Amino acid sequence: MNQFLIEKRNPILFPESAADFSKQLETLKTELKALMADNPEGKDFYLKTAVDVAVDLRSWLAEWVLVDLVKTEDITAASNNLLAFAKDFGAAEAAAEGEKEIEAIASSATKKLCDLNKEGKANTVWGHDYASGLTHSLRRGARWVTSNPCKIQLFKKDFPDYYQELIAEIKRENAGATPAVMAAQMFTKVCAISARALYPIFKATDKQYGFVCMQVDPRDIKDTDAMIKQVEFWYDAMKKELGVEEPNVVFKLPAVEAALEAARILLEKNYKLCMTLNFTVTQHLRFAEILSKGKKNGYLVLMGGQLDDQIAKELEAKGVENAKDIAKHGAEAVIRKSYRLLAEKGYKNLSIMTAAVRGPWHIQNSFAPVGGAPVLITTVTGKINQFDAEPTPFDSLMDQPIEEKYLEVLKTSDVFNKAICTPDEGLLTWENLYEYPPFVAFFTQFVAAYQEIEDDFK
C-alpha cells in the first residue's frame, strides 16, 4: 500500500530513454535529501524508499521496459548506487535487508518461470491474489491483480485505520448515495491502489496485462441487468479515480446462467471479462464459446483448490485412505480436459486462470505447453514463497493422462464427476450448480463479505 514508492519507482523502472533513466535516478536522490532535511522524523521511511527502488532495479520489474533501454551492468550499478546512498545516510540495516531480498529474487523459481516465458520456453504467467503486498509479487514477475469481496475484507483487516479514512472519503464524494453505491466505490478505491502500480505494465504490454480484476456483486448472481450496470458503473468510476481514458480493469462475472447474456452484451461493448466461481469443464465450455468472440483476451477461472477440498471431504466421508492426496488430482484432471477441449474447438483470445492455489502441485498443474494458449496462475505471497522453496519441474504435463489408480477413486466422487463432465453429458446443470459444494462454499463467503462492506456505510 506504499503509494509513495509507486510514485517514485515508476519513472525509474519505466523511463522513456536511457537518458531519462539517469535523470530520474538523480531526481529521486535529490528529492529524498530534501524530504529528509524538511522532515528528519521521516528519514527511515525515505531511505527505505531508496533501498526499495534499488531492489526493484534488480527484480523482474526491470524486464518490462528497462532492459531494452539500459545495459544490465548500468542497471546493477544504479541499484548499488542507491544502496550506497542509503548506507551513507545511516540506513545500513535497511540496505542489508535490501541486499538479502535481491538474492532471494535472483534464486526465485517463480521469477525463473517468468524468465522462461519471456524467452519463449514456457507458456505460463502469474498474478497477485491480494489487495496489498503487491511489490513482493511484482519483483518476481506478477503481471496483474485479482480481487473479490473477501480480498476487500482482508484489506480492511490489514489496514483498519486507512479503511476508515476511505469510508469517510467515499461518503464525502458520494453524498446522498445509497450504501450499495458507496460499497461499490470501496472496490474502486482499493482496486485503484493496485491499478496505479500496474498501469506501466498495462502500457508496456499493449494492454494485455497490468490489469486489476473487479468482481461484480455476488448478490446479483441471477440478475443479468445488474451485472451489466455494475460493470459500466465501475468502468466510469475507475476512469475518474485513475484519471485515464481506458482504465486497466478486467471484470469478473460469475460463471452462471444469468451471466451468459451479460457476457455477450459486455463483450459487444468491448469490456474485458473473466469468469469466476468456476470449477468445472461444463462451465468452461459454456463460456468459452462466448468469450472467444470478444476482441480482447478473456479468462476462465478454475478454482482448483476449492474443488480439491470438496472432493477430499467427500472421499473422507466414504472412508477413503489418503483422500486429500488423491483429491489433489481432481483439479489436475479438470484443467487438462478443459485445456484439451478448448484447443480442439479452436477458441482464440482465451486462457484458463487457475486460482485457490493450495501448493506447488497446483502451480505445476498450470504449466501450459509452448505453442498453445497460455495458462495464468493467480495466487498469494505465501504460496509463491512455498513454490520458491519447493519448486517443481517447469515442463508442461497438460497432455498427460491422469494415473488410473487416482482416476478410479476420483470417479467415486459426485463432486469430481460433475466437475469433469461436458455439457452434453448433463451431470451439472445450471439449476444444480447452486447446490454444488465447491460453488456453495465460495459463493457463501463472497455474499457475506460483500454484505459486510455495504453494512460499513449504513
Side-chain angles (χ1 to χ4, degrees):
M1 202 184 71
N2 190 342
Q3 297 186 63
F4 182 82
L5 171 61
I6 295 169
E7 178 186 332
K8 299 304 176 186
R9 80 170 170 217
N10 280 353
I12 294 172
L13 270 296
F14 299 89
E16 295 181 1
S17 65
D20 185 42
F21 170 67
S22 299
K23 176 184 176 182
Q24 294 296 342
L25 280 169
E26 291 307 313
T27 297
L28 173 65
K29 289 189 290 184
T30 300
E31 288 181 356
L32 293 180
K33 287 178 184 178
L35 288 167
M36 287 188 287
D38 292 340
N39 179 24
E41 292 79 9
K43 178 180 177 181
D44 290 346
F45 173 80
Y46 298 129
L47 291 176
K48 178 65 164 56
T49 299
V51 171
D52 280 336
V53 175
V55 175
D56 292 338
L57 286 167
R58 305 284 287 280
S59 77
W60 224 88
L61 277 164
E63 297 292 329
W64 295 113
V65 168
L66 197 57
V67 294
D68 295 325
L69 300 175
V70 181
K71 294 178 180 179
T72 301
E73 55 265 34
D74 292 336
I75 296 172
T76 300
S79 173
N80 289 336
N81 182 271
L82 285 173
L83 291 172
F85 172 85
K87 292 175 184 177
D88 288 345
F89 280 91
E93 185 175 341
E97 286 299 314
E99 290 166 347
K100 184 178 178 181
E101 171 69 347
I102 288 170
E103 292 176 2
I105 294 166
S107 62
S108 165
T110 312
K111 178 182 178 295
K112 177 63 174 177
L113 173 65
C114 297
D115 292 338
L116 291 172
N117 179 267
K118 186 173 183 178
E119 295 166 9
K121 299 176 182 177
N123 199 21
T124 300
V125 293
W126 78 283
H128 184 72
D129 194 18
Y130 209 76
S132 63
L134 177 58
T135 291
H136 179 279
S137 294
L138 288 179
R139 289 172 174 170
R140 289 155 178 80
R143 55 185 69 193
W144 71 87
V145 168
T146 54
S147 72
N148 60 48
C150 296
K151 303 301 179 186
I152 304 300
Q153 285 297 335
L154 289 170
F155 182 89
K156 173 183 176 181
K157 180 180 178 181
D158 291 342
F159 307 102
D161 293 340
Y162 185 55
Y163 187 86
Q164 291 303 317
E165 291 176 16
L166 288 178
I167 287 178
E169 182 179 321
I170 290 167
K171 286 182 175 180
R172 287 195 304 271
E173 293 177 353
N174 299 270
T178 65
V181 168
M182 289 192 279
Q185 289 289 36
M186 180 58 78
F187 280 80
T188 301
K189 295 291 185 182
V190 174
C191 290
I193 296 170
S194 295
R196 292 187 187 97
L198 289 163
Y199 204 82
I201 298 175
F202 186 64
K203 291 173 63 178
T205 61
D206 195 25
K207 304 173 185 178
Q208 181 178 6
Y209 294 113
F211 56 80
V212 59
C213 294
M214 301 178 72
Q215 182 171 324
V216 299
D217 189 339
R219 298 169 303 178
D220 294 329
I221 200 164
K222 296 184 178 181
D223 191 331
T224 299
D225 291 339
M227 293 183 203
I228 295 170
K229 289 177 181 177
Q230 188 166 37
V231 166
E232 294 174 336
F233 172 88
W234 266 339
Y235 191 83
D236 289 339
M238 288 294 280
K239 283 176 64 175
K240 181 178 180 180
E241 184 69 23
L242 297 173
V244 298
E245 277 304 305
E246 185 175 358
N248 49 327
V249 184
V250 170
F251 297 100
K252 294 169 73 175
L253 305 183
V256 298
E257 186 174 21
L260 291 168
E261 185 62 17
R264 290 190 186 97
I265 292 171
L266 290 168
L267 286 174
E268 288 175 359
K269 296 183 177 184
N270 213 26
Y271 291 103
K272 198 168 181 177
L273 302 180
C274 175
M275 308 310 303
T276 189
L277 282 172
N278 212 327
F279 309 89
T280 72
V281 174
T282 290
Q283 290 172 288
H284 278 182
L285 292 180
R286 291 292 193 194
F287 281 94
E289 183 178 0
I290 297 171
L291 264 60
S292 66
K293 296 176 182 177
K295 297 177 182 178
K296 300 180 180 180
N297 293 337
Y299 309 105
L300 298 167
V301 169
L302 177 63
M303 305 176 95
Q306 183 59 244
L307 175 61
D308 290 352
D309 291 347
Q310 296 300 324
I311 293 172
K313 185 176 181 180
E314 187 178 10
L315 293 179
E316 286 175 336
K318 295 176 179 289
V320 174
E321 293 185 11
N322 302 318
K324 290 182 180 179
D325 289 334
I326 296 171
K328 289 179 180 179
H329 298 280
E332 176 183 284
V334 171
I335 192 171
R336 292 182 189 182
K337 184 171 182 176
S338 276
Y339 191 88
R340 175 176 58 81
L341 292 176
L342 295 177
E344 288 177 357
K345 292 179 179 295
Y347 292 133
K348 304 294 184 182
N349 303 323
L350 188 64
S351 286
I352 296 174
M353 179 188 289
T354 60
V357 170
R358 296 293 187 259
W361 61 92
H362 277 144
I363 295 176
Q364 168 73 70
N365 293 345
S366 303
F367 294 156
V370 174
V375 168
L376 285 66
I377 304 169
T378 177
T379 190
V380 296
T381 299
K383 300 306 178 185
I384 288 304
N385 288 341
Q386 185 181 355
F387 181 73
D388 283 350
E390 309 168 29
T392 67
F394 292 113
D395 297 332
S396 174
L397 303 175
M398 205 65 80
D399 61 349
Q400 300 297 310
I402 306 301
E403 290 187 54
E404 190 59 38
K405 64 179 180 180
Y406 299 127
L407 199 56
E408 183 179 348
V409 180
L410 288 170
K411 287 180 178 178
T412 68
S413 162
D414 180 66
V415 171
F416 175 76
N417 288 330
K418 287 178 178 174
I420 201 73
C421 77
T422 63
D424 292 342
E425 292 171 307
L427 293 180
L428 183 75
T429 66
W430 292 126
E431 290 74 21
N432 65 29
L433 176 63
Y434 288 98
E435 299 173 354
Y436 187 54
F439 182 94
V440 172
F442 260 131
F443 176 60
T444 302
Q445 292 177 41
F446 288 161
V447 169
Y450 204 105
Q451 185 61 55
E452 185 176 334
I453 296 166
E454 184 171 317
D455 289 344
D456 288 335
F457 290 94
K458 293 180 177 178

